[in-house]
Amino acid sequence: MKFCFDLEMLIKDLCLNEEIKMSENKQEQKSNKEKRSVPLGVWNKCDNCHEILYAKELNQNKKVCAICGYHFKFDAWDRINLLIDHETFIEYDHEMTSADPIKFEDLKMYKDRIKSAMAKSGRKDAVITGEGKLSGLKLGLGVMDFSFLGGSMGSVVGEKLTRLIENSIKEKMPVIIVSTSGGARMQESMCSLMQMAKVSATLAKLSEARLPFISVLADPTTGGVSASFAMLGDINMAEPNALIAFAGPRVIEQTIRQKLPEGFQRTEFLKEHGMIDMIVERENMKHTLSRTLKILLNLNYSDGKGVKNAKN
Amino acid sequence: MKNYLEFEKPIADLHSKISDFSNSDNVNCRKMVQECKLELNRTRKEIFKNLTTWEKVQLARHPDRPYAKDYITSITDDFLQLHGDRLYADDEAIIGGIAKINGKSIMIIGHQKGRNVQENMRCNFGMPHPEGYRKALRLMRMAEKFNLPLITLIDTPGAYPGIGAEERGQAEAIAQNLKVMANLKVPIICIVIGEGGSGGALAIGVGDTLAMLEYTIYSVISPEGCASILWRDASMAPKAAEALKLLAEDLKKLHIIDKVLKEPLGGAHNNPKKIAQTIKKFIISELEKLEKDDLTFLLTKRYNKLREVGEFMENKSLGTF
């Protein structure tokens, strides 16, 4: 019902982790080129087992708790580096930024929110799109970025994903979108809502072209993003312990006035209810994606690098 | 029993005066009735000339407003209601079936709200579960199969946020409809007749023509929800409503919708027959236009319209942020 309700929770979540994020952001700004290294002494607490983890180790472990396997939120560029072969990623539309179509103002101006989100995250908006090779297979990849206004989808996210899919149709490439988002962006109101239809319409074209779309759902994927492209994968994969929902738990609790059972709307719950094909750990994501696409597209396993797209 | 909103109070007073006078046989009273009726007209005009955004939001949710079934009954002949998603249940929050309009066969689907507690228990205040959207999907595919144009009437606070709805894949059900409607091979006309509540509305709202009645709303989030997040205070809803630009007139200006259908004086509930006629005429004339297009052209146009929604900046030098 209230797509963006989840955002509130997510924003709160963000605040809780502010210290951690701040240190990350500082680093991000400091080192765009070199691979980031976390200053010594910065630590994280695992949300699941409450173990104190050294940030450096946690980062080396791709933000997965070494003790219990809990998957933390993962930076968009780290994700691209994890999935795409070295130096093969070409980013699209990296200069695209949000306009303010309805001159939205609450306690803050939308424009100012965008400005501070840009400064905080070092990103232009909530998705990075482009093409690259995954184990030698050329494909279109979109990775959402939760650190930018809760990964919310406005015109920029909708347009960038649409172009990504359109271009993939043209180039006959499969598409992978990694979602992590609170939903549609309130501040663009109907312009945001219609992006759900826009991206879904383009996915219909991708289907007609018989090109695979693999949706990877990461923590959290809710609201207008789950109720559009994120749930439309030929194959839906999700990371462990991700919150995946239409309405966030808080909205549901408010509606039914009942505490929700543990594990409700987590990846494992979704698999049990038939909404996703498989739960894939971050560690195995690249390999699983590669296997999946190679079987789907009837390609050879043998030499990863020499594989050509079947339709080319 | 009629319902009146706060700002309709003067209208309510005049109504009760009229009914009091009408019950009397006195000649003077008849004269008074006449006078009151004139006064009523004047008052209505006065009130409706200066409606605030929040008052319009309240009109969109007016308990006396005609609902989907009222319209279907009055604008179509021989409506045959179809039930169930063939998977789980029949969700009465979405009503649908085949019918004739002006001699032409159509498929018509709408959100259904209830007039009283019993009705609302059944149709869940117009908030569908996944089975509702999957029933709609089944009917859409049937429409395509038998080449029936699809008409949808949108009127929901939103898709239901509940445990069962999540378990059965509310998000997937909505997403699937968006994808299928974008490429459904028959003309689609969508009309917002009350509340357009976010994804729950959009799930039957992708088409060739999108129209809204004059006093209806369409938004990514309810004003109350938006207020409680951004202002941290649900009572700021009127302010949020203004910021969200959710009125028919706003959305026409933003090119999100194609047409605003004028409501009779006093709103749709004041003259349900008249608004039904307006809707019927609109559907008939739109259908005539859309059916002239060949299918490829129709689908390309539909796609391009969606394609153009949204505003962003690309050139770094133009960026103001």
Side-chain angles (χ1 to χ4, degrees), chain A residues 1 3-4 97-98 155 159 163 166 189 195 198 202 207-208 246-247 265, chain B residues 159 166 175 179 183 198-199 229 244 303 306-307 309-311 313-314 321:
Chain A
M1 171 157 78
F3 265 165
C4 310
T97 55
S98 288
S155 304
E159 180 68 20
R163 287 186 189 181
E166 282 179 341
S189 197
Q195 302 306 315
K198 177 163 133 182
T202 318
S207 282
E208 272 199 344
F246 168 66
Q265 299 179 313
Chain B
E166 293 289 326
K179 188 176 168 188
N183 206 25
S198 199
I229 297 173
L244 283 167
Y303 180 75
L306 285 174
R307 189 68 193 77
V309 181
E311 225 177 89
M313 295 181 292
E314 281 198 89
F321 295 126

PDB file of all heavy atoms in Angstrom, chain A residues 1 3-4 97-98 155 159 163 166 189 195 198 202 207-208 246-247 265, chain B residues 159 166 175 179 183 198-199 229 244 303 306-307 309-311 313-314 321:
ATOM      1  N   MET A   1       0.844  -1.185   0.000  1.00  0.00           N
ATOM      2  CA  MET A   1       0.000   0.000   0.000  1.00  0.00           C
ATOM      3  C   MET A   1       0.885   1.241   0.000  1.00  0.00           C
ATOM      4  O   MET A   1       0.783   2.100  -0.850  1.00  0.00           O
ATOM      5  CB  MET A   1      -0.896  -0.034   1.219  1.00  0.00           C
ATOM      6  CG  MET A   1      -1.656   1.246   1.434  1.00  0.00           C
ATOM      7  SD  MET A   1      -3.126   0.983   2.427  1.00  0.00           S
ATOM      8  CE  MET A   1      -2.471   0.881   4.045  1.00  0.00           C
ATOM      9  N   PHE A   3       4.260   2.250  -0.532  1.00  0.00           N
ATOM     10  CA  PHE A   3       5.513   1.797  -1.058  1.00  0.00           C
ATOM     11  C   PHE A   3       6.705   2.324  -0.316  1.00  0.00           C
ATOM     12  O   PHE A   3       7.680   1.653  -0.135  1.00  0.00           O
ATOM     13  CB  PHE A   3       5.642   2.280  -2.491  1.00  0.00           C
ATOM     14  CG  PHE A   3       5.187   1.253  -3.419  1.00  0.00           C
ATOM     15  CD1 PHE A   3       4.916   1.561  -4.723  1.00  0.00           C
ATOM     16  CD2 PHE A   3       5.020  -0.035  -2.970  1.00  0.00           C
ATOM     17  CE1 PHE A   3       4.485   0.613  -5.579  1.00  0.00           C
ATOM     18  CE2 PHE A   3       4.595  -0.996  -3.830  1.00  0.00           C
ATOM     19  CZ  PHE A   3       4.323  -0.661  -5.139  1.00  0.00           C
ATOM     20  N   CYS A   4       6.605   3.584   0.067  1.00  0.00           N
ATOM     21  CA  CYS A   4       7.803   4.221   0.541  1.00  0.00           C
ATOM     22  C   CYS A   4       7.926   4.139   2.047  1.00  0.00           C
ATOM     23  O   CYS A   4       8.878   4.611   2.620  1.00  0.00           O
ATOM     24  CB  CYS A   4       7.826   5.653   0.071  1.00  0.00           C
ATOM     25  SG  CYS A   4       7.510   5.735  -1.659  1.00  0.00           S
ATOM     26  N   THR A  97      21.808  12.793 -13.725  1.00  0.00           N
ATOM     27  CA  THR A  97      21.413  13.155 -12.357  1.00  0.00           C
ATOM     28  C   THR A  97      19.926  13.499 -12.298  1.00  0.00           C
ATOM     29  O   THR A  97      19.306  13.773 -13.318  1.00  0.00           O
ATOM     30  CB  THR A  97      22.206  14.379 -11.851  1.00  0.00           C
ATOM     31  OG1 THR A  97      22.032  15.429 -12.796  1.00  0.00           O
ATOM     32  CG2 THR A  97      23.672  14.073 -11.675  1.00  0.00           C
ATOM     33  N   SER A  98      19.426  13.504 -11.089  1.00  0.00           N
ATOM     34  CA  SER A  98      17.999  13.769 -10.887  1.00  0.00           C
ATOM     35  C   SER A  98      17.653  15.222 -11.168  1.00  0.00           C
ATOM     36  O   SER A  98      18.378  16.127 -10.766  1.00  0.00           O
ATOM     37  CB  SER A  98      17.616  13.482  -9.438  1.00  0.00           C
ATOM     38  OG  SER A  98      17.616  12.114  -9.219  1.00  0.00           O
ATOM     39  N   SER A 155      13.275   9.012 -11.564  1.00  0.00           N
ATOM     40  CA  SER A 155      13.438   9.039 -13.017  1.00  0.00           C
ATOM     41  C   SER A 155      14.801   8.538 -13.474  1.00  0.00           C
ATOM     42  O   SER A 155      14.905   7.879 -14.505  1.00  0.00           O
ATOM     43  CB  SER A 155      13.240  10.461 -13.538  1.00  0.00           C
ATOM     44  OG  SER A 155      11.989  10.955 -13.150  1.00  0.00           O
ATOM     45  N   GLU A 159      15.252   5.486 -15.958  1.00  0.00           N
ATOM     46  CA  GLU A 159      15.798   5.760 -17.288  1.00  0.00           C
ATOM     47  C   GLU A 159      17.089   4.957 -17.530  1.00  0.00           C
ATOM     48  O   GLU A 159      17.271   4.368 -18.590  1.00  0.00           O
ATOM     49  CB  GLU A 159      16.069   7.262 -17.429  1.00  0.00           C
ATOM     50  CG  GLU A 159      16.640   7.683 -18.775  1.00  0.00           C
ATOM     51  CD  GLU A 159      15.656   7.539 -19.933  1.00  0.00           C
ATOM     52  OE1 GLU A 159      14.434   7.482 -19.672  1.00  0.00           O
ATOM     53  OE2 GLU A 159      16.105   7.472 -21.096  1.00  0.00           O
ATOM     54  N   ARG A 163      17.445   2.188 -20.455  1.00  0.00           N
ATOM     55  CA  ARG A 163      18.487   2.258 -21.504  1.00  0.00           C
ATOM     56  C   ARG A 163      19.364   1.009 -21.490  1.00  0.00           C
ATOM     57  O   ARG A 163      19.755   0.505 -22.535  1.00  0.00           O
ATOM     58  CB  ARG A 163      19.360   3.491 -21.293  1.00  0.00           C
ATOM     59  CG  ARG A 163      18.645   4.772 -21.644  1.00  0.00           C
ATOM     60  CD  ARG A 163      19.609   5.921 -21.559  1.00  0.00           C
ATOM     61  NE  ARG A 163      18.910   7.190 -21.685  1.00  0.00           N
ATOM     62  CZ  ARG A 163      19.515   8.364 -21.664  1.00  0.00           C
ATOM     63  NH1 ARG A 163      20.815   8.427 -21.511  1.00  0.00           N
ATOM     64  NH2 ARG A 163      18.816   9.470 -21.795  1.00  0.00           N
ATOM     65  N   GLU A 166      17.340  -1.721 -23.104  1.00  0.00           N
ATOM     66  CA  GLU A 166      17.208  -1.459 -24.546  1.00  0.00           C
ATOM     67  C   GLU A 166      18.516  -1.741 -25.272  1.00  0.00           C
ATOM     68  O   GLU A 166      18.534  -2.357 -26.342  1.00  0.00           O
ATOM     69  CB  GLU A 166      16.797   0.005 -24.772  1.00  0.00           C
ATOM     70  CG  GLU A 166      15.316   0.244 -24.525  1.00  0.00           C
ATOM     71  CD  GLU A 166      14.906   1.698 -24.720  1.00  0.00           C
ATOM     72  OE1 GLU A 166      15.785   2.583 -24.702  1.00  0.00           O
ATOM     73  OE2 GLU A 166      13.708   1.947 -24.870  1.00  0.00           O
ATOM     74  N   SER A 189       7.150  11.549  -6.899  1.00  0.00           N
ATOM     75  CA  SER A 189       5.754  11.107  -6.942  1.00  0.00           C
ATOM     76  C   SER A 189       5.422  10.244  -8.157  1.00  0.00           C
ATOM     77  O   SER A 189       6.032   9.220  -8.368  1.00  0.00           O
ATOM     78  CB  SER A 189       4.832  12.318  -6.849  1.00  0.00           C
ATOM     79  OG  SER A 189       3.539  11.893  -6.504  1.00  0.00           O
ATOM     80  N   GLN A 195       7.982   4.796 -13.406  1.00  0.00           N
ATOM     81  CA  GLN A 195       9.226   4.099 -13.772  1.00  0.00           C
ATOM     82  C   GLN A 195       9.069   2.589 -13.609  1.00  0.00           C
ATOM     83  O   GLN A 195       9.699   1.811 -14.316  1.00  0.00           O
ATOM     84  CB  GLN A 195      10.417   4.583 -12.925  1.00  0.00           C
ATOM     85  CG  GLN A 195      10.704   6.072 -13.004  1.00  0.00           C
ATOM     86  CD  GLN A 195      10.871   6.586 -14.411  1.00  0.00           C
ATOM     87  OE1 GLN A 195      11.565   5.971 -15.228  1.00  0.00           O
ATOM     88  NE2 GLN A 195      10.236   7.708 -14.721  1.00  0.00           N
ATOM     89  N   LYS A 198       7.611   1.581 -16.749  1.00  0.00           N
ATOM     90  CA  LYS A 198       8.560   1.788 -17.842  1.00  0.00           C
ATOM     91  C   LYS A 198       9.589   0.655 -17.908  1.00  0.00           C
ATOM     92  O   LYS A 198       9.798   0.056 -18.964  1.00  0.00           O
ATOM     93  CB  LYS A 198       9.236   3.147 -17.609  1.00  0.00           C
ATOM     94  CG  LYS A 198      10.301   3.544 -18.577  1.00  0.00           C
ATOM     95  CD  LYS A 198      10.533   5.050 -18.448  1.00  0.00           C
ATOM     96  CE  LYS A 198      11.976   5.401 -18.365  1.00  0.00           C
ATOM     97  NZ  LYS A 198      12.193   6.858 -18.184  1.00  0.00           N
ATOM     98  N   THR A 202      10.022  -2.452 -20.749  1.00  0.00           N
ATOM     99  CA  THR A 202      11.255  -2.752 -21.484  1.00  0.00           C
ATOM    100  C   THR A 202      11.652  -4.215 -21.271  1.00  0.00           C
ATOM    101  O   THR A 202      12.155  -4.872 -22.183  1.00  0.00           O
ATOM    102  CB  THR A 202      12.386  -1.811 -21.034  1.00  0.00           C
ATOM    103  OG1 THR A 202      11.854  -0.502 -20.910  1.00  0.00           O
ATOM    104  CG2 THR A 202      13.498  -1.787 -22.047  1.00  0.00           C
ATOM    105  N   SER A 207      12.080  -9.979 -23.050  1.00  0.00           N
ATOM    106  CA  SER A 207      11.494 -11.324 -23.105  1.00  0.00           C
ATOM    107  C   SER A 207      11.172 -11.708 -24.540  1.00  0.00           C
ATOM    108  O   SER A 207      11.433 -12.829 -24.958  1.00  0.00           O
ATOM    109  CB  SER A 207      10.190 -11.373 -22.305  1.00  0.00           C
ATOM    110  OG  SER A 207      10.452 -11.465 -20.945  1.00  0.00           O
ATOM    111  N   GLU A 208      10.575 -10.754 -25.268  1.00  0.00           N
ATOM    112  CA  GLU A 208      10.222 -11.038 -26.665  1.00  0.00           C
ATOM    113  C   GLU A 208      11.448 -11.343 -27.492  1.00  0.00           C
ATOM    114  O   GLU A 208      11.389 -12.154 -28.414  1.00  0.00           O
ATOM    115  CB  GLU A 208       9.456  -9.858 -27.265  1.00  0.00           C
ATOM    116  CG  GLU A 208       7.975  -9.988 -27.020  1.00  0.00           C
ATOM    117  CD  GLU A 208       7.133  -9.136 -27.959  1.00  0.00           C
ATOM    118  OE1 GLU A 208       7.688  -8.222 -28.595  1.00  0.00           O
ATOM    119  OE2 GLU A 208       5.924  -9.409 -28.029  1.00  0.00           O
ATOM    120  N   PHE A 246       6.984  -6.696  -0.501  1.00  0.00           N
ATOM    121  CA  PHE A 246       6.205  -5.630  -1.131  1.00  0.00           C
ATOM    122  C   PHE A 246       6.058  -4.512  -0.104  1.00  0.00           C
ATOM    123  O   PHE A 246       6.597  -3.436  -0.249  1.00  0.00           O
ATOM    124  CB  PHE A 246       4.845  -6.159  -1.584  1.00  0.00           C
ATOM    125  CG  PHE A 246       3.907  -5.062  -1.971  1.00  0.00           C
ATOM    126  CD1 PHE A 246       4.173  -4.278  -3.072  1.00  0.00           C
ATOM    127  CD2 PHE A 246       2.771  -4.786  -1.223  1.00  0.00           C
ATOM    128  CE1 PHE A 246       3.320  -3.235  -3.428  1.00  0.00           C
ATOM    129  CE2 PHE A 246       1.910  -3.750  -1.576  1.00  0.00           C
ATOM    130  CZ  PHE A 246       2.190  -2.972  -2.672  1.00  0.00           C
ATOM    131  N   ALA A 247       5.360  -4.779   0.978  1.00  0.00           N
ATOM    132  CA  ALA A 247       5.238  -3.805   2.060  1.00  0.00           C
ATOM    133  C   ALA A 247       6.228  -4.182   3.148  1.00  0.00           C
ATOM    134  O   ALA A 247       6.378  -5.348   3.479  1.00  0.00           O
ATOM    135  CB  ALA A 247       3.827  -3.824   2.604  1.00  0.00           C
ATOM    136  N   GLN A 265       9.542 -12.500   5.513  1.00  0.00           N
ATOM    137  CA  GLN A 265      10.028 -11.664   4.401  1.00  0.00           C
ATOM    138  C   GLN A 265      11.546 -11.708   4.211  1.00  0.00           C
ATOM    139  O   GLN A 265      12.101 -10.853   3.552  1.00  0.00           O
ATOM    140  CB  GLN A 265       9.589 -10.213   4.562  1.00  0.00           C
ATOM    141  CG  GLN A 265       8.076 -10.051   4.583  1.00  0.00           C
ATOM    142  CD  GLN A 265       7.652  -8.617   4.770  1.00  0.00           C
ATOM    143  OE1 GLN A 265       8.163  -7.929   5.630  1.00  0.00           O
ATOM    144  NE2 GLN A 265       6.714  -8.160   3.962  1.00  0.00           N
TER     145      GLN A 265
ATOM    146  N   ALA B 159      -2.464  -1.767  -2.723  1.00  0.00           N
ATOM    147  CA  ALA B 159      -2.482  -3.216  -2.564  1.00  0.00           C
ATOM    148  C   ALA B 159      -2.363  -3.527  -1.077  1.00  0.00           C
ATOM    149  O   ALA B 159      -1.704  -2.792  -0.342  1.00  0.00           O
ATOM    150  CB  ALA B 159      -1.316  -3.832  -3.321  1.00  0.00           C
ATOM    151  N   GLU B 166       1.859 -11.089   1.395  1.00  0.00           N
ATOM    152  CA  GLU B 166       3.306 -11.235   1.190  1.00  0.00           C
ATOM    153  C   GLU B 166       3.654 -12.688   0.860  1.00  0.00           C
ATOM    154  O   GLU B 166       4.454 -12.964  -0.021  1.00  0.00           O
ATOM    155  CB  GLU B 166       4.075 -10.794   2.437  1.00  0.00           C
ATOM    156  CG  GLU B 166       3.979  -9.311   2.734  1.00  0.00           C
ATOM    157  CD  GLU B 166       4.740  -8.428   1.750  1.00  0.00           C
ATOM    158  OE1 GLU B 166       5.796  -8.841   1.258  1.00  0.00           O
ATOM    159  OE2 GLU B 166       4.243  -7.317   1.465  1.00  0.00           O
ATOM    160  N   ALA B 175       4.040  -6.845 -10.337  1.00  0.00           N
ATOM    161  CA  ALA B 175       5.074  -6.737 -11.369  1.00  0.00           C
ATOM    162  C   ALA B 175       4.637  -7.424 -12.666  1.00  0.00           C
ATOM    163  O   ALA B 175       4.790  -6.888 -13.764  1.00  0.00           O
ATOM    164  CB  ALA B 175       6.374  -7.350 -10.859  1.00  0.00           C
ATOM    165  N   LYS B 179       4.155  -5.847 -16.647  1.00  0.00           N
ATOM    166  CA  LYS B 179       4.853  -6.371 -17.816  1.00  0.00           C
ATOM    167  C   LYS B 179       3.852  -6.818 -18.883  1.00  0.00           C
ATOM    168  O   LYS B 179       4.023  -6.528 -20.068  1.00  0.00           O
ATOM    169  CB  LYS B 179       5.739  -7.537 -17.380  1.00  0.00           C
ATOM    170  CG  LYS B 179       6.663  -8.047 -18.451  1.00  0.00           C
ATOM    171  CD  LYS B 179       7.578  -9.133 -17.899  1.00  0.00           C
ATOM    172  CE  LYS B 179       8.311  -9.845 -19.021  1.00  0.00           C
ATOM    173  NZ  LYS B 179       9.039 -11.019 -18.528  1.00  0.00           N
ATOM    174  N   ASN B 183       2.397  -4.892 -22.962  1.00  0.00           N
ATOM    175  CA  ASN B 183       2.508  -5.544 -24.263  1.00  0.00           C
ATOM    176  C   ASN B 183       1.234  -6.292 -24.662  1.00  0.00           C
ATOM    177  O   ASN B 183       1.256  -7.131 -25.551  1.00  0.00           O
ATOM    178  CB  ASN B 183       3.701  -6.510 -24.209  1.00  0.00           C
ATOM    179  CG  ASN B 183       4.303  -6.755 -25.549  1.00  0.00           C
ATOM    180  OD1 ASN B 183       4.178  -5.909 -26.447  1.00  0.00           O
ATOM    181  ND2 ASN B 183       4.910  -7.914 -25.743  1.00  0.00           N
ATOM    182  N   SER B 198      -0.821   4.132  -5.521  1.00  0.00           N
ATOM    183  CA  SER B 198       0.503   3.560  -5.774  1.00  0.00           C
ATOM    184  C   SER B 198       0.490   2.306  -6.660  1.00  0.00           C
ATOM    185  O   SER B 198      -0.320   2.199  -7.586  1.00  0.00           O
ATOM    186  CB  SER B 198       1.153   3.279  -4.429  1.00  0.00           C
ATOM    187  OG  SER B 198       2.522   3.138  -4.575  1.00  0.00           O
ATOM    188  N   GLY B 199       1.379   1.364  -6.359  1.00  0.00           N
ATOM    189  CA  GLY B 199       1.541   0.178  -7.196  1.00  0.00           C
ATOM    190  C   GLY B 199       0.263  -0.649  -7.289  1.00  0.00           C
ATOM    191  O   GLY B 199       0.008  -1.304  -8.304  1.00  0.00           O
ATOM    192  N   ILE B 229       6.420   9.883   7.057  1.00  0.00           N
ATOM    193  CA  ILE B 229       7.839   9.632   6.811  1.00  0.00           C
ATOM    194  C   ILE B 229       8.630  10.935   6.759  1.00  0.00           C
ATOM    195  O   ILE B 229       9.595  11.121   7.479  1.00  0.00           O
ATOM    196  CB  ILE B 229       8.055   8.850   5.499  1.00  0.00           C
ATOM    197  CG1 ILE B 229       7.399   7.474   5.593  1.00  0.00           C
ATOM    198  CG2 ILE B 229       9.539   8.698   5.213  1.00  0.00           C
ATOM    199  CD1 ILE B 229       7.411   6.709   4.298  1.00  0.00           C
ATOM    200  N   LEU B 244       2.929  16.328  -3.228  1.00  0.00           N
ATOM    201  CA  LEU B 244       2.964  15.139  -4.092  1.00  0.00           C
ATOM    202  C   LEU B 244       2.388  15.365  -5.484  1.00  0.00           C
ATOM    203  O   LEU B 244       2.541  14.528  -6.366  1.00  0.00           O
ATOM    204  CB  LEU B 244       2.218  13.978  -3.418  1.00  0.00           C
ATOM    205  CG  LEU B 244       2.962  13.265  -2.292  1.00  0.00           C
ATOM    206  CD1 LEU B 244       2.022  12.366  -1.515  1.00  0.00           C
ATOM    207  CD2 LEU B 244       4.138  12.463  -2.834  1.00  0.00           C
ATOM    208  N   TYR B 303       4.352   1.953 -25.664  1.00  0.00           N
ATOM    209  CA  TYR B 303       5.693   1.861 -25.105  1.00  0.00           C
ATOM    210  C   TYR B 303       6.349   3.247 -25.050  1.00  0.00           C
ATOM    211  O   TYR B 303       6.909   3.639 -24.031  1.00  0.00           O
ATOM    212  CB  TYR B 303       6.543   0.903 -25.940  1.00  0.00           C
ATOM    213  CG  TYR B 303       7.952   0.753 -25.406  1.00  0.00           C
ATOM    214  CD1 TYR B 303       8.199   0.000 -24.273  1.00  0.00           C
ATOM    215  CD2 TYR B 303       9.025   1.390 -26.031  1.00  0.00           C
ATOM    216  CE1 TYR B 303       9.484  -0.125 -23.766  1.00  0.00           C
ATOM    217  CE2 TYR B 303      10.303   1.274 -25.533  1.00  0.00           C
ATOM    218  CZ  TYR B 303      10.531   0.511 -24.407  1.00  0.00           C
ATOM    219  OH  TYR B 303      11.806   0.404 -23.901  1.00  0.00           O
ATOM    220  N   LEU B 306       5.227   5.421 -22.172  1.00  0.00           N
ATOM    221  CA  LEU B 306       5.855   5.060 -20.896  1.00  0.00           C
ATOM    222  C   LEU B 306       7.316   5.501 -20.891  1.00  0.00           C
ATOM    223  O   LEU B 306       7.835   6.003 -19.905  1.00  0.00           O
ATOM    224  CB  LEU B 306       5.811   3.545 -20.690  1.00  0.00           C
ATOM    225  CG  LEU B 306       4.475   2.934 -20.312  1.00  0.00           C
ATOM    226  CD1 LEU B 306       4.595   1.419 -20.298  1.00  0.00           C
ATOM    227  CD2 LEU B 306       4.017   3.428 -18.951  1.00  0.00           C
ATOM    228  N   ARG B 307       7.925   5.318 -22.030  1.00  0.00           N
ATOM    229  CA  ARG B 307       9.343   5.596 -22.205  1.00  0.00           C
ATOM    230  C   ARG B 307       9.689   7.040 -21.867  1.00  0.00           C
ATOM    231  O   ARG B 307      10.766   7.343 -21.399  1.00  0.00           O
ATOM    232  CB  ARG B 307       9.675   5.271 -23.666  1.00  0.00           C
ATOM    233  CG  ARG B 307      11.098   5.270 -24.062  1.00  0.00           C
ATOM    234  CD  ARG B 307      11.816   4.129 -23.420  1.00  0.00           C
ATOM    235  NE  ARG B 307      13.254   4.284 -23.542  1.00  0.00           N
ATOM    236  CZ  ARG B 307      13.975   5.108 -22.810  1.00  0.00           C
ATOM    237  NH1 ARG B 307      13.408   5.879 -21.927  1.00  0.00           N
ATOM    238  NH2 ARG B 307      15.278   5.168 -22.963  1.00  0.00           N
ATOM    239  N   VAL B 309       8.182   9.059 -19.706  1.00  0.00           N
ATOM    240  CA  VAL B 309       7.892   9.565 -18.356  1.00  0.00           C
ATOM    241  C   VAL B 309       9.180   9.705 -17.552  1.00  0.00           C
ATOM    242  O   VAL B 309      10.008   8.800 -17.528  1.00  0.00           O
ATOM    243  CB  VAL B 309       6.927   8.624 -17.602  1.00  0.00           C
ATOM    244  CG1 VAL B 309       6.622   9.192 -16.217  1.00  0.00           C
ATOM    245  CG2 VAL B 309       5.647   8.440 -18.379  1.00  0.00           C
ATOM    246  N   GLY B 310       9.302  10.846 -16.904  1.00  0.00           N
ATOM    247  CA  GLY B 310      10.468  11.053 -16.044  1.00  0.00           C
ATOM    248  C   GLY B 310      11.274  12.251 -16.502  1.00  0.00           C
ATOM    249  O   GLY B 310      11.230  12.639 -17.671  1.00  0.00           O
ATOM    250  N   GLU B 311      11.982  12.828 -15.557  1.00  0.00           N
ATOM    251  CA  GLU B 311      12.790  13.998 -15.863  1.00  0.00           C
ATOM    252  C   GLU B 311      14.149  13.819 -15.201  1.00  0.00           C
ATOM    253  O   GLU B 311      14.229  13.405 -14.054  1.00  0.00           O
ATOM    254  CB  GLU B 311      12.108  15.236 -15.280  1.00  0.00           C
ATOM    255  CG  GLU B 311      12.070  16.405 -16.225  1.00  0.00           C
ATOM    256  CD  GLU B 311      11.319  17.562 -15.615  1.00  0.00           C
ATOM    257  OE1 GLU B 311      11.968  18.368 -14.935  1.00  0.00           O
ATOM    258  OE2 GLU B 311      10.088  17.653 -15.796  1.00  0.00           O
ATOM    259  N   MET B 313      18.702  14.998 -15.689  1.00  0.00           N
ATOM    260  CA  MET B 313      19.670  15.842 -16.381  1.00  0.00           C
ATOM    261  C   MET B 313      20.860  14.986 -16.788  1.00  0.00           C
ATOM    262  O   MET B 313      21.277  14.118 -16.027  1.00  0.00           O
ATOM    263  CB  MET B 313      20.120  16.958 -15.445  1.00  0.00           C
ATOM    264  CG  MET B 313      18.968  17.891 -15.116  1.00  0.00           C
ATOM    265  SD  MET B 313      19.440  19.229 -14.042  1.00  0.00           S
ATOM    266  CE  MET B 313      19.764  18.367 -12.544  1.00  0.00           C
ATOM    267  N   GLU B 314      21.376  15.278 -17.987  1.00  0.00           N
ATOM    268  CA  GLU B 314      22.446  14.410 -18.488  1.00  0.00           C
ATOM    269  C   GLU B 314      23.772  15.106 -18.650  1.00  0.00           C
ATOM    270  O   GLU B 314      24.818  14.519 -18.465  1.00  0.00           O
ATOM    271  CB  GLU B 314      22.036  13.825 -19.832  1.00  0.00           C
ATOM    272  CG  GLU B 314      21.099  12.680 -19.655  1.00  0.00           C
ATOM    273  CD  GLU B 314      21.045  11.855 -20.900  1.00  0.00           C
ATOM    274  OE1 GLU B 314      21.876  10.934 -21.003  1.00  0.00           O
ATOM    275  OE2 GLU B 314      20.203  12.134 -21.752  1.00  0.00           O
ATOM    276  N   PHE B 321      23.138  20.547  -9.425  1.00  0.00           N
ATOM    277  CA  PHE B 321      23.375  20.006  -8.078  1.00  0.00           C
ATOM    278  C   PHE B 321      24.857  19.970  -7.743  1.00  0.00           C
ATOM    279  O   PHE B 321      25.666  19.697  -8.591  1.00  0.00           O
ATOM    280  CB  PHE B 321      22.797  18.586  -7.969  1.00  0.00           C
ATOM    281  CG  PHE B 321      21.321  18.587  -8.102  1.00  0.00           C
ATOM    282  CD1 PHE B 321      20.694  17.793  -9.041  1.00  0.00           C
ATOM    283  CD2 PHE B 321      20.540  19.410  -7.288  1.00  0.00           C
ATOM    284  CE1 PHE B 321      19.318  17.782  -9.156  1.00  0.00           C
ATOM    285  CE2 PHE B 321      19.175  19.401  -7.401  1.00  0.00           C
ATOM    286  CZ  PHE B 321      18.566  18.594  -8.338  1.00  0.00           C
TER     287      PHE B 321
END
